[in-house]
Amino acid sequence: MIRVVLVDDQMLVRQGVRGLLELLPDMEVVGEASDGEEALEKVPLLKPDVLLLDIRMPRLDGIAVLDALREANALPPTLVLTTFDDSDAVFAAIKAGARGLMLKDVSLEDLADAIRALADDRTALQPAMTESLMAAIRRNPAASADSHVGEALTAREKEVLHLICAGYSNREIADLLSLAEGTVKNHVSSLLLKLGTRDRTRAALKALQQGHLD
């Protein structure tokens, strides 16, 4: 069972998302928060498998929540849901530690798949959100680049990188490329080192920044 916490300042949105997720046999909504400060109180106590987080909220917005939870070492895999296709906010959310980004008009099927991906230590970037990331990077590339690739990526590493950005797990990548899972893990470790990142989500972001992906 995937334990989910909802954070959104609109009660109707929380009720709607809760009602939909409770139709699914593998998900349980274990808590809600109506603003950022309430989220900081509840999330560390509830320890959800996945946090669904709004960006625009009173008192503390979603970016501030991400920053505070990360600094407290209490940030669960977080899927940001927003009604705004705001490229700067999307970019800030990824920088702050979000593992997934989706607009609130997403279907239940896609939302459920995204939650399962985050619970399985993968990423979930809606195509519209990827476009927003690219827009923010084009406007201010200097602010987004905090390191440079030390070595060129190999052809195999680029294949693995594309699949990481598509949300595939190491096991799925291994099956698709006919590799051992341990070999894929080695490629991922090499990618993180070369891209100067700590995790797969930041590797995907850095790949976009540095032109490794179309």
Side-chain angles (χ1 to χ4, degrees):
M1 188 71 73
I2 300 172
R3 303 172 69 255
V4 177
V5 166
L6 306 174
V7 180
D8 195 294
D9 62 314
Q10 298 181 39
M11 182 182 295
L12 188 61
V13 171
R14 295 198 310 275
Q15 290 176 339
V17 174
R18 174 188 279 273
L20 290 172
L21 294 184
E22 289 180 344
L23 296 173
L24 303 173
D26 60 339
M27 295 187 194
E28 177 187 11
V29 177
V30 296
E32 299 180 13
S34 60
D35 60 46
E37 290 191 2
E38 188 179 0
L40 294 185
E41 294 174 2
K42 291 188 173 181
V43 171
L45 295 175
L46 294 170
K47 295 182 173 60
D49 299 310
V50 175
L51 173 63
L52 297 188
L53 180 65
D54 190 18
I55 289 183
R56 309 292 186 189
M57 295 185 296
R59 299 210 285 177
L60 283 178
D61 64 15
I63 307 302
V65 171
L66 286 165
D67 286 335
L69 289 175
R70 189 184 69 252
E71 290 175 6
N73 198 30
L75 180 63
T78 301
L79 177 64
V80 169
L81 290 173
T82 179
T83 55
F84 303 96
D85 188 7
D86 182 339
S87 57
D88 291 326
V90 165
F91 180 68
I94 286 289
K95 293 279 282 184
R99 296 266 296 278
L101 295 160
M102 301 194 116
L103 294 172
K104 287 182 180 177
D105 63 358
V106 68
S107 68
L108 174 59
E109 181 181 4
D110 287 343
L111 176 60
D113 285 345
I115 292 171
R116 294 183 185 112
L118 266 65
D120 193 36
D121 197 30
R122 292 180 283 143
T123 60
L125 297 177
Q126 191 175 7
M129 298 289 92
T130 304
E131 291 297 323
S132 292
L133 280 172
M134 289 301 298
I137 290 166
R138 283 193 294 268
R139 281 200 302 275
N140 193 5
S144 62
D146 43 32
S147 66
H148 298 281
V149 176
E151 302 175 47
L153 301 183
T154 67
R156 179 64 84 186
E157 286 169 346
K158 288 181 179 179
E159 286 182 304
V160 172
L161 182 59
H162 275 80
L163 293 172
I164 287 174
C165 293
Y168 290 97
S169 67
N170 287 348
R171 179 173 296 178
E172 290 168 330
I173 293 172
D175 290 342
L176 286 167
L177 298 182
S178 299
L179 298 172
E181 188 173 354
T183 302
V184 172
K185 289 180 180 178
N186 290 337
H187 285 311
V188 172
S189 296
S190 178
L191 281 167
L192 297 182
L193 179 63
K194 289 182 178 181
L195 293 171
T197 58
R198 299 188 303 275
D199 57 53
R200 296 160 69 97
T201 304
R202 286 180 173 79
L205 176 59
K206 186 60 66 66
L208 288 170
Q209 293 171 4
Q210 298 182 340
H212 295 296
L213 302 176
D214 295 331

